């Protein structure tokens, strides 16, 4: 089957939107040299043209893969979103065409945690207000309401990648950390798990939110929750905009129940840097407002480039789909040099495996190893077989009803 597998030189890799150059480097180091770099975002027509002969596509958040006709992208093998989210991709459409999508969901964990830690220090010292006044020519030298972090209690809601990283930084600064998570999470350092949100809120000086946007977390922090926070405490939200009820936050700030806040995310965010940013929080000097840049650092871009390129290369080289967002996940061993790897992506229906097995047995081909995973209506079976060359088998596999794609590696 050697001639049926695509060599690395023939695999066309297209990286759009100025993906960090480390991604290209990784592909080249692995022997891929048919790489095309675009710094711009293609319009729908250009994108469709690119897709017609691309095997591996790398995009960031602006390229809209939702409106594309994926059914005609026969060569497209895999998509990498060199960012955190995958909203710009028709994940189900890709899956039904046998195209796994990879992203880098946790590459900017440290960046967010560092920003939040910095904001906690600034809020506790009353810096946002002093800074705003200084910009207006006012000298506000005072130690009133200005505190060190040491000994203060930080409440973290959502003890996942970012929440737990923040815990480490906060403890290093001498803070006590208490956290609430719906899943049982082992404490790090001296941190302490608390059984409920309501139990956590009265015990803390600063509340920092690190939960995903779900039905449960929408409007999670409103008037009732803010009232449970001690007077003079602070709120930080670098998670998602809908978690905090902004009108209730405004109210708590006007009443000086909360002494300040830092927000990186908002219920409505401008679509681009050219659009205006509007929020009732603009008038508060004691509120730090940042344009959803918690994870936007050079280090995070490098992490993203390496993580996504690595996943795409692994899929291309040996078929592994570990941590694909839309696809059956399989982690495969390196292919033995004597064997050929046949990857069959199919509709997850009864009887397909039997027909695949029959395709091999009817040709007297021995299957040395077989791996299978399904996800919803798509199945992914990988067979390492003892045979050198057979177009017949590929034709037979393609002929099985419900087959989406067949790929060969040698
Ligand atoms: P993660 O998935 O590692 O952690 C989330 C944690 O929240 C999990 O431990 C989960 O069990 C917990 N959780 C979920 N629902 C909960 C609930 N109702 N109550 C309590 N705990 C709950 O996610 P990660 O990477 O730590 O991200 C956290 C948030 O930060 C996400 O909303 C993400 O979108 C946001 N984020 C923001 C960025 C920015 O630029 N500001 C950049 C990266 C992530």
């Amino acid at each position: 089957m050697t001639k049926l597998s695509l060599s690395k030189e023939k695999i066309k890799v297209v990286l759009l939107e100025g993906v960090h150059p480390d991604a290209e480097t990784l592909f080249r180091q692995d022997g891929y040299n048919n790489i095309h770099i675009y710094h711009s975002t293609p319009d729908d027509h250009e994108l469709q043209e690119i897709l017609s002969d691309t095997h591996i596509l790398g995009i960031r958040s602006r390229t809209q893969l939702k409106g594309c006709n994926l059914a005609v992208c026969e060569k497209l093998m895999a998509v990498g979103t060199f960012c955190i989210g995958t909203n710009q991709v028709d994940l189900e459409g890709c899956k039904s065409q046998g195209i796994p999508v990879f992203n880098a969901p946790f590459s900017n964990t440290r960046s967010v945690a560092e920003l939040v830690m910095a904001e906690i220090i600034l809020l506790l010292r009353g810096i946002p207000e002093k800074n705003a006044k200084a910009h207006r020519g006012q000298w506000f030298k005072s130690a009133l309401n200005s505190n060190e972090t040491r000994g203060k209690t930080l409440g973290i809601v959502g003890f996942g990648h970012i929440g737990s990283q923040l815990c480490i930084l906060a403890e290093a600064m001498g803070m006590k950390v208490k956290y609430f998570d719906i899943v049982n999470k082992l404490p790090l350092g001296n941190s302490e798990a608390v059984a409920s949100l309501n139990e956590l809120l009265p015990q803390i000086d600063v509340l920092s939110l690190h939960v995903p946007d779900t039905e449960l977390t929408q409007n999670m922090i409103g008037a009732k929750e803010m009232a449970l926070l001690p007077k003079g405490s602070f709120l930080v939200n670098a998670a998602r905009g809908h978690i905090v009820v902004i009108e209730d936050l405004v109210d708590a700030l006007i009443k000086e129940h909360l002494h300040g806040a830092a927000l990186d995310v908002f219920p409505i965010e401008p679509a681009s840097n050219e659009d205006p940013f509007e929020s009732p929080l603009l008038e508060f000097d004691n509120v730090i407002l940042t344009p959803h840049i918690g994870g936007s650092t050079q280090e995070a871009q490098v992490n993203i480039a390496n993580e996504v390129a690595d996943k795409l290369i692994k899929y291309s080289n040996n078929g592994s789909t570990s941590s694909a967002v839309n696809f059956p996940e399989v982690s495969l061993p390196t292919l033995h040099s004597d064997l050929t790897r046949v990857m069959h992506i199919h509709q997850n229906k009864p009887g397909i495996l039997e027909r695949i097995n029959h395709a091999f047995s009817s040709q007297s081909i021995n299957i040395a190893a077989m791996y299978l995973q399904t996800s919803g209506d798509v199945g992914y079976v990988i067979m390492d077989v003892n045979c050198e060359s057979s177009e017949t088998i590929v034709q037979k596999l393609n002929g099985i009803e419900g087959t989406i794609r067949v790929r060969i590696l040698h």
Side-chain angles (χ1 to χ4, degrees), residues 105-106 108-109 112 157-163 180-183 185 210-213 216-217 220 238-240 264-265 292-295:
F106 306 116
N108 56 10
T109 296
V112 181
V157 179
F159 207 61
H161 288 79
I162 297 172
F180 165 64
D181 197 296
I182 38 165
V183 174
K185 296 276 170 122
H210 300 288
V211 287
D213 193 358
L216 274 183
T217 61
M220 188 184 213
R240 281 296 176 258
D264 187 45
V265 289
H292 202 148
I293 41 72

Side-chain angles (χ1 to χ4, degrees), residues 2 79 90 119 131 135 142 169 197 203 222 224 270 273 286 327 405:
T2 320
V79 171
D90 175 3
E119 288 175 337
N131 173 60
H135 277 274
S142 165
L169 298 180
L197 182 62
Q203 305 185 39
K224 184 171 127 299
N273 285 354
N286 55 348
F327 215 70
R405 267 165 204 251

Side-chain angles (χ1 to χ4, degrees), residues 1 37 48 61 121 135 141 166 170 306 335 347:
M1 291 185 204
I37 307 288
Q48 198 68 53
S61 53
I121 297 170
H135 277 274
K141 183 172 164 61
L166 173 64
N306 284 300
L335 177 62
Q347 290 162 10

Side-chain angles (χ1 to χ4, degrees), residues 79 100-105 307-316 318-333 373 380 382 407:
V79 171
V101 178
F102 301 95
N103 68 340
E307 185 175 336
V308 180
D310 183 60
K311 288 175 181 174
L312 290 168
I313 290 168
K314 281 211 174 86
Y315 179 64
S316 176
N318 88 342
S320 285
T321 50
S322 309
S323 80
V325 284
N326 65 336
F327 215 70
E329 286 189 56
V330 186
S331 182
L332 297 166
Q373 196 53 265
Y380 181 33
I382 302 98
R407 192 157 74 92

Side-chain angles (χ1 to χ4, degrees), residues 276-409:
F277 168 57
E278 287 162 3
S279 167
L281 294 164
L282 298 187
E283 64 182 89
F284 294 94
D285 282 355
N286 55 348
V287 176
I288 301 175
L289 300 170
T290 47
H292 202 148
I293 41 72
S296 306
T297 62
Q298 288 307 306
E299 289 79 2
Q301 289 306 312
V302 170
N303 291 342
I304 288 169
N306 284 300
E307 185 175 336
V308 180
D310 183 60
K311 288 175 181 174
L312 290 168
I313 290 168
K314 281 211 174 86
Y315 179 64
S316 176
N317 287 0
N318 88 342
S320 285
T321 50
S322 309
S323 80
V325 284
N326 65 336
F327 215 70
E329 286 189 56
V330 186
S331 182
L332 297 166
T334 310
L335 177 62
H336 193 278
S337 58
D338 294 342
L339 301 175
T340 295
R341 181 162 287 172
V342 181
M343 290 159 282
H344 189 270
I345 303 167
H346 52 263
Q347 290 162 10
N348 186 17
K349 287 180 182 164
I352 292 221
L353 276 189
E354 193 185 323
R355 272 167 265 155
I356 292 172
N357 279 325
H358 182 256
F360 286 102
S361 60
S362 67
Q363 297 294 302
S364 303
I365 296 172
N366 182 44
I367 299 176
M370 190 175 208
Y371 312 86
L372 166 73
Q373 196 53 265
T374 61
S375 161
D377 49 7
V378 168
Y380 181 33
V381 64
I382 302 98
M383 292 141 296
D384 291 349
V385 296
N386 302 99
C387 91
E388 283 180 357
S389 155
S390 171
E391 281 198 38
T392 322
I393 189 78
V394 174
Q395 272 168 16
K396 276 184 179 278
L397 290 171
N398 271 318
I400 295 172
E401 197 192 323
T403 296
I404 298 173
R405 267 165 204 251
V406 178
R407 192 157 74 92
I408 308 292
L409 283 174

Side-chain angles (χ1 to χ4, degrees), residues 125-146:
R125 294 290 295 268
I127 301 297
E129 198 173 2
K130 292 180 176 84
N131 173 60
K133 283 189 159 59
H135 277 274
R136 295 195 293 266
Q138 293 167 258
W139 196 245
F140 186 37
K141 183 172 164 61
S142 165
L144 196 69
N145 292 329
S146 180

